[in-house]
Amino acid sequence: MHCHRGSGTVASELHLLCDLSKQPQIWTMKHIGGAMRGTGAEQLPALVRNIVVSKMSNNALRFFYTVGYKMDYELLRDGFAYCFQRAFPITVTVTSVCRLPKQHSIYDATPVTPNIQLVEVTAPAAADNFSDVVLAISRKLSFLRFLFLSFWFCHRSGL
């Protein structure tokens, strides 16, 4: 969703999410801030962004239309997530992203990138544990990269 009001120079996103697997449907608003900047940001192996997640009532879509937002597009994400619990939780989400040709037409969804999944790795961080979180995510990504490359090789070679 987007709003035409000035929101500063840092690009950010506002996602309005609905969990279709639960009844009644649960709505969540996710604000994803702009990328971290500065000398420390260039040394990190991943893009770091602030994320704020908030649960909303079942009239969330109507509320956002009322305050001036417009829907850019509607996507369906299908996949799974799992959490590694160490000193802090690291969540790995693997999804296929599909485009909906008409609003709310989930049965007509077509893959945006066929046979390619989106992998997101997230963890909560604060100023006092930021470097520990970055190190833990980097280690987890090295492990996951090995798993995904092994899976991709086996899948491509028919093993």
Side-chain angles (χ1 to χ4, degrees):
M1 299 192 91
H2 73 278
C3 186
H4 292 288
R5 297 185 181 107
S7 59
T9 58
V10 177
S12 64
E13 302 172 22
L14 182 66
H15 297 185
L16 189 57
L17 311 166
C18 181
D19 188 345
L20 300 174
S21 67
K22 299 197 173 45
Q23 291 297 328
Q25 294 174 344
I26 298 173
W27 287 86
T28 305
M29 188 271 307
K30 182 190 282 189
H31 178 264
I32 304 172
M36 187 174 113
R37 296 180 182 189
T39 55
E42 285 110 28
Q43 297 173 2
L44 297 175
L47 177 68
V48 177
R49 300 173 78 176
N50 287 328
I51 298 176
V52 177
V53 178
S54 179
K55 297 291 183 193
M56 299 193 71
S57 67
N58 61 356
N59 65 351
L61 193 57
R62 186 173 350 128
F63 169 77
F64 277 95
Y65 284 149
T66 302
V67 296
Y69 281 85
K70 305 235 183 285
M71 187 179 304
D72 286 338
Y73 49 85
E74 192 173 26
L75 298 174
L76 175 68
R77 290 175 52 161
D78 185 25
F80 59 91
Y82 52 96
C83 187
F84 298 96
Q85 184 67 42
R86 299 284 187 249
F88 42 84
I90 297 176
T91 304
V92 178
T93 308
V94 181
T95 56
S96 295
V97 180
C98 297
R99 181 175 319 169
L100 301 181
K102 293 182 282 189
Q103 190 173 9
H104 309 320
S105 60
I106 62 172
Y107 299 109
D108 298 328
T110 56
V112 173
T113 53
N115 300 321
I116 298 176
Q117 283 72 39
L118 173 66
V119 179
E120 297 173 288
V121 181
T122 58
D128 60 338
N129 72 347
F130 185 78
S131 54
D132 296 333
V133 172
V134 169
L135 181 62
I137 287 179
S138 296
R139 288 180 179 159
K140 187 59 68 183
L141 287 175
S142 296
F143 174 72
L144 289 174
R145 182 175 48 176
F146 172 74
L147 285 178
F148 287 125
L149 287 174
S150 298
F151 173 77
W152 179 81
F153 177 75
C154 291
H155 178 71
R156 295 283 286 194
S157 63
L159 297 176

